[in-house]
């Protein structure tokens, strides 16, 4: 009898949690009509923020993958003290509020800083430019990928890697032949989370890269200038772009585990 009651309580709690999680999505679809979506997205320049967000997030993600994957592997497989400081830095970036990240980026990459002067010599600026938008997205998204990838690499079977070493595989060969193929499903999940985080970056962007407008900034400016009803279509586009990849990666990861 007690087990039956606990089962029913578990079912009710699960349903309640799902309603809480998807409630805002349901509300969004009920608040929008097809005519409102068409009217908002048919305005001149309405699709420009989508292109800017997708392009900047894709570039940021490429940088995160090529720079973050070796770092995550080193954090997982090496015990050097210097790497622990990098791990602490990643945790700090994960826990730091995005607005604080934006403020720190201004003091680190602003035009009057040493790094800002170096960037100006190659005709780049880390404030209110497409490059600044990419930098904000990298800083907001990279810890989600690196820490997730680190956990994945740390869970690999050490005995299998040791056997590969006995067979004459170099560390680089072990990575590309064993570690990376076995980790791809879980890495895809971390990458998809980083994608959603990058394309939805707002806290640092509103301080460092107000222009050019990506989708999050378009939602914010439309909300302030016109109102909530006109901002909702852009919010819907942002969800359509950011959510499918994490859902597909999660499905692939669960399938691969089975």
């Amino acid at each position: 009898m007690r087990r039956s009651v606990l089962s029913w309580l578990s079912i009710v709690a699960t349903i309640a949690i799902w309603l809480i999680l998807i409630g805002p999505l349901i509300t969004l679809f009920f608040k929008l009509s097809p005519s409102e979506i068409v009217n908002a997205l048919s305005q001149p320049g309405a699709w420009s923020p989508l292109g800017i967000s997708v392009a900047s997030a894709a570039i940021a993600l490429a940088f995160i993958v090529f720079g973050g994957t070796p770092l995550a592997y080193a954090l997982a497989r090496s015990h050097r003290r210097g790497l622990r400081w990098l791990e602490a830095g990643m945790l700090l970036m994960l826990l730091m509020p995005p607005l604080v990240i934006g403020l720190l980026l201004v003091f680190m990459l602003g035009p009057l800083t040493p790094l800002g002067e170096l960037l100006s010599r190659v005709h780049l600026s880390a404030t209110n430019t497409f490059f600044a938008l990419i930098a904000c997205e990298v800083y907001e998204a990279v810890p989600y990928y690196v820490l997730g990838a680190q956990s994945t690499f740390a869970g690999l079977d050490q005995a299998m890697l040791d056997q590969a070493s006995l067979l004459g595989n170099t560390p680089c060969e072990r990575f590309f032949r064993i570690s990376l193929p076995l980790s791809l499903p879980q890495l895809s999940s971390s990458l998809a989370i980083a994608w959603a985080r990058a394309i939805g970056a707002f806290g640092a962007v509103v301080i460092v890269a107000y222009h050019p407008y990506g989708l999050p900034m378009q939602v914010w400016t439309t909300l302030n200038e016109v109102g909530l009803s006109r901002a909702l279509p852009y919010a819907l586009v942002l969800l359509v772009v950011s959510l499918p990849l994490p859902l597909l990666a999660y499905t692939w990861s669960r399938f691969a585990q089975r």
Side-chain angles (χ1 to χ4, degrees):
M1 179 66 180
R2 181 180 299 177
R3 185 175 180 180
S4 177
V5 172
L6 290 176
S7 299
W8 278 107
L9 288 176
S10 177
I11 294 173
V12 172
T14 302
I15 295 175
I17 291 173
W18 269 105
L19 289 176
I20 292 172
L21 292 175
I22 67 174
L25 295 178
I26 297 175
T27 303
L28 176 62
F29 282 106
F30 274 103
K31 287 291 183 180
L32 280 175
S33 65
S35 60
E36 289 176 329
I37 298 174
V38 172
N39 181 50
L41 299 181
S42 61
Q43 300 297 321
W47 290 98
S48 178
L50 173 61
I52 292 172
S53 286
V54 171
S56 61
I59 296 172
L61 213 64
F63 179 84
I64 290 171
V65 169
F66 288 106
T69 304
L71 174 60
Y73 189 75
L75 291 174
R77 313 308 300 183
S78 177
H79 299 286
R80 294 180 181 178
R81 183 176 300 179
L83 291 175
R84 303 284 70 84
W85 286 103
L86 288 175
E87 183 179 13
M90 285 293 162
L91 287 171
L92 184 62
M93 290 173 62
L94 180 66
L95 299 174
M96 194 181 298
L99 284 173
V100 176
I101 292 178
L103 290 173
L104 294 180
L105 284 176
V106 170
F107 288 106
M108 186 176 71
L109 301 175
L112 301 180
T113 64
L115 287 177
E117 292 179 357
L118 288 176
L119 289 173
S120 65
R121 293 181 182 179
V122 293
H123 306 289
L124 290 176
S125 174
T127 54
N128 291 325
T129 60
F130 187 70
F131 173 78
L133 178 59
I134 295 172
C136 291
E137 291 176 347
V138 168
Y139 269 88
E140 286 202 31
V142 67
Y144 291 87
Y145 176 74
V146 171
L147 294 176
Q150 177 191 359
S151 177
T152 299
F153 289 135
L156 294 176
D157 188 357
Q158 183 61 42
M160 183 183 300
L161 298 176
D162 292 339
Q163 290 175 0
S165 298
L166 293 175
L167 292 174
N169 288 277
T170 64
C172 186
E173 290 172 338
R174 291 201 307 269
F175 175 76
F176 284 104
R177 291 180 179 179
I178 300 175
S179 300
L180 187 59
L182 290 176
S183 304
L184 277 178
Q186 287 75 24
L187 290 179
S188 68
S189 297
S190 300
L191 185 63
I193 294 173
W195 162 262
R197 194 69 188 87
I199 203 168
F202 176 74
V205 173
V206 74
I207 294 177
V208 179
Y210 198 88
H211 297 282
Y213 285 170
L215 279 173
M217 285 304 307
Q218 184 66 36
V219 172
W220 173 250
T221 55
T222 305
L223 174 64
N224 286 327
E225 295 174 0
V226 185
L228 179 62
S229 60
R230 295 290 296 274
L232 286 178
Y234 295 105
L236 178 62
V237 173
L238 182 58
L239 288 176
V240 170
V241 174
S242 62
L243 290 184
L245 185 59
L247 294 177
L248 289 173
Y250 175 78
T251 303
W252 180 29
S253 176
R254 296 296 296 177
F255 179 79
Q257 290 176 3
R258 291 179 182 178

